[in-house]
Amino acid sequence: MARSLNEWLWQHEFWLPPGITWEDMQESEDVHYPQPRDLLLSIPFALILVVIRCAFERAVALPLSSKLGVRDKQRPKPQPNPTLETFYSTCCKNPEEGELISLAKQCDLPVRKVERWFRRRRNTDRPNLTKKFCEACWRFTFYFIAFFTGLAVLYDKPWLWDHRECWTGYPQQPLQPSLFWYYLLELSFYWSLVFTLPFDVKRKDFKEQIVHHAATIFLISFSYCANYIRIGTLVMVIHDASDCFLEPTKIFNYMKWKKTCDSLFMIFTAVFLISRLVIFPYTVLYNTYYYSMEIFQPFFGYYFMNALLIILQLLHVFWSCLIIHMVYKFIIQGTMEKDMRSDTEESDKDEEREKIREKEQNGIAYFSNVTSNSYIQRNGSEPLNNRSHLANGHVKER
């Protein structure tokens, strides 16, 4: 059964244009074509990147965060409570009002204290500022290296300047070693992001990130197997260009350098919108949809490739809307809004209100006692609790 599935999956009609078979893609001593088995190397390389990342964050990013003044906010810890902890771990992290009342009865606590316990418990699970700083440093380092590696690999390639060259001789385009290692670097990195998803900072677009990583891995893998190497390298360079500005923007935001952060964010916005909404549709989408038709007739790989690219473009539009909204807030308010993708920390507002109310009540009672006693003593009389009143209004000493 596995053999039949393998034969069905690798039918040349799925991967190659009409008139081309796998026999036409046979390698020789001088000519090498992409082989699907090469992609298996990305898994061990991804694990190596995970190890390098851990070492980098501990040896470089963490000491750098302390030197640059990145400080974690002190969070009040919830009191140990096995009942609430069990409910938090197995049922729900943000219970409804009815569940809060039921839990309050079980623990013999006020509802407000149970609500405060869950709020503090959720805050303890949120990543601290140092973790965010280290993650941004790692990603910036990789994107910077990957982007300039891509430029170094492609600067002398004809398809970087003339997009029709992406299809010259397709699919019999020999694989150059520099392109192979560039592909392996990018694919390994995205596999490493998938491996570390449970431990990375979770943002509001977590589901979109999963879709993005899956589409990117499928896109890189399919483009390699179908020898869409040239168009694939353009996609990777375009994506890395804007990411080189996003991560340092986060870094300066964590450092509280607001002016530098705002300036970098505006640069990132311009690069992102131009690269993802202008360059990507023309250089990649229009290229694969229209220019490729000059070389071959549409086939399954043609439609599948364009579908993955359209998914990426829809994600570009989604993130562009978030970015434009942040820029709008910046122009109106004059300051950069917090990252809309971030899961903001909950504050103990109810607890703060309670403390303020208690202070006010204690202050009023204390002020009332002091003023009443001082008024009586200023008139040379004793406090009222040492004297008794008669019906005629006279005071009788006890």
Side-chain angles (χ1 to χ4, degrees):
M1 182 177 178
R3 182 177 180 181
S4 300
L5 180 61
N6 185 65
E7 292 177 353
W8 174 83
L9 179 62
W10 294 106
Q11 295 181 68
H12 61 84
E13 291 86 358
F14 291 164
W15 301 89
L16 302 174
I20 303 295
T21 63
W22 290 116
E23 286 74 16
D24 300 321
M25 302 294 295
Q26 292 296 325
E27 293 186 319
S28 64
E29 294 182 0
D30 300 327
V31 179
H32 298 279
Y33 294 115
Q35 300 296 321
R37 62 177 179 271
D38 298 338
L39 298 178
L40 296 176
L41 291 173
S42 63
I43 303 300
F45 272 84
L47 297 176
I48 292 174
L49 281 179
V50 172
V51 174
I52 294 175
R53 171 183 174 175
C54 295
F56 173 86
E57 290 185 355
R58 288 191 176 187
V60 179
L62 190 59
L64 185 63
S65 66
S66 60
K67 290 184 179 180
L68 294 177
V70 178
R71 297 290 183 269
D72 295 329
K73 182 180 179 181
Q74 295 296 326
R75 299 168 177 170
K77 296 182 179 180
Q79 295 294 329
N81 191 308
T83 302
L84 299 181
E85 184 65 36
T86 302
F87 185 90
Y88 181 88
S89 303
T90 59
C91 298
C92 179
K93 296 183 178 181
N94 195 2
E96 301 292 338
E97 184 177 357
E99 295 172 328
L100 289 173
I101 296 174
S102 175
L103 290 170
K105 291 180 180 179
Q106 295 179 31
C107 301
D108 194 21
L109 292 173
V111 177
R112 185 168 295 177
K113 286 190 176 182
V114 174
E115 185 179 7
R116 184 192 308 163
W117 188 95
F118 277 95
R119 184 169 53 248
R120 291 182 172 182
R121 184 65 180 85
R122 288 192 297 269
N123 282 338
T124 57
D125 283 348
R126 288 186 170 87
N128 52 41
L129 205 60
T130 302
K131 178 177 175 59
K132 294 180 180 180
F133 179 88
C134 294
E135 181 179 312
C137 285
W138 163 249
R139 296 198 181 197
F140 168 67
T141 303
F142 177 84
Y143 289 133
F144 184 85
I145 294 173
F147 176 66
F148 284 98
T149 299
L151 291 181
V153 169
L154 296 177
Y155 83 96
D156 60 344
K157 303 299 186 293
W159 63 86
L160 180 63
W161 316 105
D162 184 2
H163 306 320
R164 280 186 170 87
E165 289 292 329
C166 289
W167 312 108
T168 301
Y170 179 83
Q172 296 171 311
Q173 297 171 338
L175 176 63
Q176 301 177 17
S178 59
L179 298 178
F180 167 76
W181 289 109
Y182 180 47
Y183 246 75
L184 187 63
L185 175 67
E186 292 279 356
L187 183 59
S188 300
F189 175 71
Y190 282 101
W191 272 121
S192 71
L193 292 182
V194 172
F195 295 158
T196 58
L197 267 177
F199 315 104
D200 288 342
V201 177
K202 290 182 175 60
R203 305 182 187 275
K204 293 180 180 179
D205 62 344
F206 180 73
K207 295 180 180 179
E208 289 80 5
Q209 278 187 323
I210 296 177
V211 174
H212 174 268
H213 295 341
T216 302
I217 290 173
F218 275 118
L219 182 61
I220 294 176
S221 301
F222 178 80
S223 64
Y224 185 86
C225 295
N227 205 12
Y228 283 108
I229 298 291
R230 297 184 179 183
I231 199 70
T233 53
L234 295 179
V235 173
M236 293 186 292
V237 167
I238 291 172
H239 277 73
D240 291 339
S242 58
D243 291 331
C244 287
F245 293 96
L246 174 61
E247 300 305 327
T249 302
K250 296 179 183 179
I251 291 173
F252 284 110
N253 181 46
Y254 303 146
M255 293 168 54
K256 309 300 182 184
W257 292 21
K258 300 303 295 180
K259 292 184 178 180
T260 306
C261 173
D262 293 347
S263 301
L264 276 175
F265 183 81
M266 299 305 293
I267 296 174
F268 159 75
T269 300
V271 175
F272 185 93
L273 296 180
I274 293 173
S275 63
R276 306 292 180 93
L277 301 184
V278 179
I279 298 177
F280 184 84
Y282 173 72
T283 304
V284 177
L285 290 180
Y286 186 75
N287 193 359
T288 55
Y289 177 78
Y290 181 74
Y291 288 156
S292 62
M293 299 279 287
E294 299 177 353
I295 307 299
F296 54 81
Q297 295 297 318
F299 63 107
F300 175 81
Y302 167 84
Y303 294 112
F304 187 70
M305 183 75 169
N306 280 281
L308 292 176
L309 292 174
I310 289 173
I311 291 175
L312 281 183
Q313 184 59 24
L314 291 177
L315 291 172
H316 296 164
V317 173
F318 170 77
W319 284 314
S320 296
C321 292
L322 294 181
I323 293 171
I324 291 173
H325 181 76
M326 294 179 67
V327 172
Y328 173 78
K329 290 290 186 180
F330 174 71
I331 295 175
I332 298 300
Q333 299 178 358
T335 182
M336 189 63 61
E337 190 184 40
K338 290 184 178 180
D339 187 359
M340 295 178 62
R341 299 165 56 222
S342 297
D343 189 11
T344 54
E345 183 171 335
E346 300 174 79
S347 59
D348 289 332
K349 291 182 179 179
D350 293 338
E351 183 179 356
E352 293 172 1
R353 293 194 191 101
E354 290 177 6
K355 290 182 179 179
I356 293 174
R357 193 179 297 112
E358 290 176 1
K359 289 181 180 179
E360 289 177 349
Q361 291 175 352
N362 294 335
I364 292 172
Y366 175 77
F367 179 77
S368 176
N369 291 335
V370 171
T371 52
S372 61
N373 290 336
S374 62
Y375 173 79
I376 295 172
Q377 290 174 358
R378 279 199 306 269
N379 286 275
S381 305
E382 295 179 3
L384 290 178
N385 57 2
N386 293 328
R387 309 162 76 189
S388 61
H389 292 267
L390 299 179
N392 58 6
H394 296 284
V395 179
K396 180 179 177 182
E397 299 292 340
R398 289 181 181 178

